[in-house]
Amino acid sequence: MINRQPARLPQHVAIIMDGNGRWAQQRGLPRTMGHRKGVEAVRETVRVAGEVGISYLTLFAFSSENWSRPETEVSDLMGLLKAFIRRDLAELHSENVRIRVIGSRENLRGDILPLLIEAEDTTRHNSGLTLVIAFNYGARDEIARAARKLAVKLAAGEISAQQIDAVALDRELDTFGMPDPDLVIRTSGEERLSNFLLWQAAYAELLFVPEYWPDFTRETFIAAIEKYGRRDRRFGGVNPVAAAVS
Ligand code: IPE
Ligand code: IPE
Ligand code: MG
């Protein structure tokens, strides 16, 4: 357990787990070994999130653009996700973790979709950490699908054009019902969002850390949460202290 309680805890942390391939290449190993090691970092990160009392942890596991990778790597990644759910679902469930999956559910191969649905259904009533797996996820695709759902409702006469606003669109996103991420962390030193939560991260604090994902430890995670605690979030307003002295 952690005794260094950060001053201000993010309710929702989202992580772009990047750098598995480079971690492996640096060691002369095939990229897939980096992905394997990355699963261990996932386990540790989920544990720490639960311990410190974060309510939502979103992990970017596979993007809608990652299909463009070589077939062997794509099938390795699918295999690892399936193995993770098969091996860890019972334990996550016993730890009161609720699993939700965001991303497109169209055109998924083989037995992956039933497994994802099983993970969601099994843990549906859990009240601890919500682990959100972003799989086959791309923010532009998510926003476009939400717009399409609104268009269908409009065409059916269920809503009027005037009712289409940010709140209505937000309700059609895969993340419906979840708070927006407070903190988005990207590992591996890359400083971009790569089509991750573009809508929801509008006011998220962004943190780019140099470690490759397999090297992301409990300490790195705690340090990131502490850094978040020192950020001044203004949401377009003014800091009350600054406003009082001016
Ligand atoms: C992140 O690591 C895992 C996924 C994108 C699925 P990468 O595979 O992107 O590793 P790098 O960025 O090539 O090092
Ligand atoms: C983002 O990483 C996707 C995931 C972490 C799943 P990428 O490695 O795919 O992103 P780019 O290609 O460097 O932008
Ligand atoms: Mg990458």
Side-chain angles (χ1 to χ4, degrees), residues 213-225:
W213 176 248
D215 290 329
F216 190 80
T217 60
R218 166 181 294 266
E219 288 70 31
T220 328
F221 194 14
I222 299 287
I225 294 167

PDB file of all heavy atoms in Angstrom, residues 213-225:
ATOM      1  N   TRP A 213       6.763   1.979 -22.136  1.00  0.00           N
ATOM      2  CA  TRP A 213       5.678   1.403 -21.326  1.00  0.00           C
ATOM      3  C   TRP A 213       6.122   0.223 -20.438  1.00  0.00           C
ATOM      4  O   TRP A 213       5.767   0.184 -19.256  1.00  0.00           O
ATOM      5  CB  TRP A 213       4.471   1.044 -22.195  1.00  0.00           C
ATOM      6  CG  TRP A 213       3.416   0.365 -21.388  1.00  0.00           C
ATOM      7  CD1 TRP A 213       3.018  -0.926 -21.469  1.00  0.00           C
ATOM      8  CD2 TRP A 213       2.667   0.948 -20.294  1.00  0.00           C
ATOM      9  NE1 TRP A 213       2.060  -1.194 -20.519  1.00  0.00           N
ATOM     10  CE2 TRP A 213       1.828  -0.057 -19.784  1.00  0.00           C
ATOM     11  CE3 TRP A 213       2.633   2.225 -19.705  1.00  0.00           C
ATOM     12  CZ2 TRP A 213       0.953   0.150 -18.726  1.00  0.00           C
ATOM     13  CZ3 TRP A 213       1.765   2.434 -18.644  1.00  0.00           C
ATOM     14  CH2 TRP A 213       0.942   1.414 -18.157  1.00  0.00           C
ATOM     15  N   PRO A 214       6.926  -0.737 -20.942  1.00  0.00           N
ATOM     16  CA  PRO A 214       7.298  -1.852 -20.061  1.00  0.00           C
ATOM     17  C   PRO A 214       8.084  -1.390 -18.827  1.00  0.00           C
ATOM     18  O   PRO A 214       8.148  -2.113 -17.834  1.00  0.00           O
ATOM     19  CB  PRO A 214       8.162  -2.755 -20.953  1.00  0.00           C
ATOM     20  CG  PRO A 214       7.708  -2.426 -22.342  1.00  0.00           C
ATOM     21  CD  PRO A 214       7.412  -0.950 -22.325  1.00  0.00           C
ATOM     22  N   ASP A 215       8.679  -0.204 -18.880  1.00  0.00           N
ATOM     23  CA  ASP A 215       9.438   0.323 -17.731  1.00  0.00           C
ATOM     24  C   ASP A 215       8.590   1.226 -16.845  1.00  0.00           C
ATOM     25  O   ASP A 215       9.115   1.876 -15.939  1.00  0.00           O
ATOM     26  CB  ASP A 215      10.660   1.118 -18.219  1.00  0.00           C
ATOM     27  CG  ASP A 215      11.714   0.213 -18.828  1.00  0.00           C
ATOM     28  OD1 ASP A 215      11.832  -0.950 -18.386  1.00  0.00           O
ATOM     29  OD2 ASP A 215      12.417   0.660 -19.753  1.00  0.00           O
ATOM     30  N   PHE A 216       7.313   1.317 -17.111  1.00  0.00           N
ATOM     31  CA  PHE A 216       6.424   2.168 -16.308  1.00  0.00           C
ATOM     32  C   PHE A 216       6.151   1.448 -14.995  1.00  0.00           C
ATOM     33  O   PHE A 216       5.541   0.392 -14.964  1.00  0.00           O
ATOM     34  CB  PHE A 216       5.124   2.412 -17.077  1.00  0.00           C
ATOM     35  CG  PHE A 216       4.226   3.463 -16.467  1.00  0.00           C
ATOM     36  CD1 PHE A 216       4.465   4.817 -16.659  1.00  0.00           C
ATOM     37  CD2 PHE A 216       3.112   3.091 -15.712  1.00  0.00           C
ATOM     38  CE1 PHE A 216       3.623   5.784 -16.122  1.00  0.00           C
ATOM     39  CE2 PHE A 216       2.256   4.054 -15.172  1.00  0.00           C
ATOM     40  CZ  PHE A 216       2.519   5.405 -15.382  1.00  0.00           C
ATOM     41  N   THR A 217       6.631   2.040 -13.914  1.00  0.00           N
ATOM     42  CA  THR A 217       6.537   1.374 -12.615  1.00  0.00           C
ATOM     43  C   THR A 217       5.554   2.090 -11.699  1.00  0.00           C
ATOM     44  O   THR A 217       5.058   3.168 -12.018  1.00  0.00           O
ATOM     45  CB  THR A 217       7.903   1.393 -11.907  1.00  0.00           C
ATOM     46  OG1 THR A 217       8.275   2.771 -11.737  1.00  0.00           O
ATOM     47  CG2 THR A 217       8.967   0.660 -12.698  1.00  0.00           C
ATOM     48  N   ARG A 218       5.343   1.485 -10.560  1.00  0.00           N
ATOM     49  CA  ARG A 218       4.556   2.080  -9.489  1.00  0.00           C
ATOM     50  C   ARG A 218       5.075   3.488  -9.175  1.00  0.00           C
ATOM     51  O   ARG A 218       4.315   4.429  -9.040  1.00  0.00           O
ATOM     52  CB  ARG A 218       4.705   1.160  -8.267  1.00  0.00           C
ATOM     53  CG  ARG A 218       4.257   1.712  -6.942  1.00  0.00           C
ATOM     54  CD  ARG A 218       4.509   0.650  -5.863  1.00  0.00           C
ATOM     55  NE  ARG A 218       3.671  -0.508  -6.082  1.00  0.00           N
ATOM     56  CZ  ARG A 218       2.465  -0.688  -5.501  1.00  0.00           C
ATOM     57  NH1 ARG A 218       2.010   0.175  -4.646  1.00  0.00           N
ATOM     58  NH2 ARG A 218       1.753  -1.755  -5.772  1.00  0.00           N
ATOM     59  N   GLU A 219       6.407   3.625  -9.105  1.00  0.00           N
ATOM     60  CA  GLU A 219       7.013   4.923  -8.762  1.00  0.00           C
ATOM     61  C   GLU A 219       6.719   5.967  -9.846  1.00  0.00           C
ATOM     62  O   GLU A 219       6.417   7.116  -9.537  1.00  0.00           O
ATOM     63  CB  GLU A 219       8.536   4.780  -8.574  1.00  0.00           C
ATOM     64  CG  GLU A 219       8.953   4.053  -7.300  1.00  0.00           C
ATOM     65  CD  GLU A 219       8.628   2.559  -7.299  1.00  0.00           C
ATOM     66  OE1 GLU A 219       8.642   1.930  -8.393  1.00  0.00           O
ATOM     67  OE2 GLU A 219       8.318   2.009  -6.217  1.00  0.00           O
ATOM     68  N   THR A 220       6.836   5.549 -11.102  1.00  0.00           N
ATOM     69  CA  THR A 220       6.560   6.488 -12.202  1.00  0.00           C
ATOM     70  C   THR A 220       5.114   6.959 -12.132  1.00  0.00           C
ATOM     71  O   THR A 220       4.813   8.137 -12.346  1.00  0.00           O
ATOM     72  CB  THR A 220       6.763   5.808 -13.584  1.00  0.00           C
ATOM     73  OG1 THR A 220       7.778   4.831 -13.505  1.00  0.00           O
ATOM     74  CG2 THR A 220       7.088   6.818 -14.661  1.00  0.00           C
ATOM     75  N   PHE A 221       4.231   6.035 -11.844  1.00  0.00           N
ATOM     76  CA  PHE A 221       2.803   6.337 -11.796  1.00  0.00           C
ATOM     77  C   PHE A 221       2.510   7.299 -10.629  1.00  0.00           C
ATOM     78  O   PHE A 221       1.839   8.321 -10.800  1.00  0.00           O
ATOM     79  CB  PHE A 221       2.007   5.034 -11.652  1.00  0.00           C
ATOM     80  CG  PHE A 221       0.531   5.150 -11.922  1.00  0.00           C
ATOM     81  CD1 PHE A 221      -0.011   6.275 -12.542  1.00  0.00           C
ATOM     82  CD2 PHE A 221      -0.330   4.112 -11.574  1.00  0.00           C
ATOM     83  CE1 PHE A 221      -1.382   6.375 -12.792  1.00  0.00           C
ATOM     84  CE2 PHE A 221      -1.691   4.194 -11.820  1.00  0.00           C
ATOM     85  CZ  PHE A 221      -2.219   5.333 -12.417  1.00  0.00           C
ATOM     86  N   ILE A 222       3.049   6.989  -9.461  1.00  0.00           N
ATOM     87  CA  ILE A 222       2.818   7.844  -8.278  1.00  0.00           C
ATOM     88  C   ILE A 222       3.387   9.245  -8.540  1.00  0.00           C
ATOM     89  O   ILE A 222       2.738  10.256  -8.223  1.00  0.00           O
ATOM     90  CB  ILE A 222       3.480   7.230  -7.012  1.00  0.00           C
ATOM     91  CG1 ILE A 222       2.890   5.859  -6.702  1.00  0.00           C
ATOM     92  CG2 ILE A 222       3.354   8.178  -5.808  1.00  0.00           C
ATOM     93  CD1 ILE A 222       1.504   5.843  -6.144  1.00  0.00           C
ATOM     94  N   ALA A 223       4.571   9.291  -9.155  1.00  0.00           N
ATOM     95  CA  ALA A 223       5.181  10.599  -9.441  1.00  0.00           C
ATOM     96  C   ALA A 223       4.284  11.402 -10.385  1.00  0.00           C
ATOM     97  O   ALA A 223       4.125  12.624 -10.241  1.00  0.00           O
ATOM     98  CB  ALA A 223       6.572  10.412 -10.045  1.00  0.00           C
ATOM     99  N   ALA A 224       3.680  10.715 -11.348  1.00  0.00           N
ATOM    100  CA  ALA A 224       2.786  11.388 -12.312  1.00  0.00           C
ATOM    101  C   ALA A 224       1.557  11.944 -11.593  1.00  0.00           C
ATOM    102  O   ALA A 224       1.134  13.074 -11.844  1.00  0.00           O
ATOM    103  CB  ALA A 224       2.363  10.401 -13.402  1.00  0.00           C
ATOM    104  N   ILE A 225       1.023  11.160 -10.668  1.00  0.00           N
ATOM    105  CA  ILE A 225      -0.170  11.606  -9.929  1.00  0.00           C
ATOM    106  C   ILE A 225       0.185  12.811  -9.054  1.00  0.00           C
ATOM    107  O   ILE A 225      -0.584  13.768  -8.937  1.00  0.00           O
ATOM    108  CB  ILE A 225      -0.749  10.438  -9.083  1.00  0.00           C
ATOM    109  CG1 ILE A 225      -1.269   9.339 -10.007  1.00  0.00           C
ATOM    110  CG2 ILE A 225      -1.863  10.925  -8.174  1.00  0.00           C
ATOM    111  CD1 ILE A 225      -1.570   8.029  -9.306  1.00  0.00           C
TER     112      ILE A 225
END
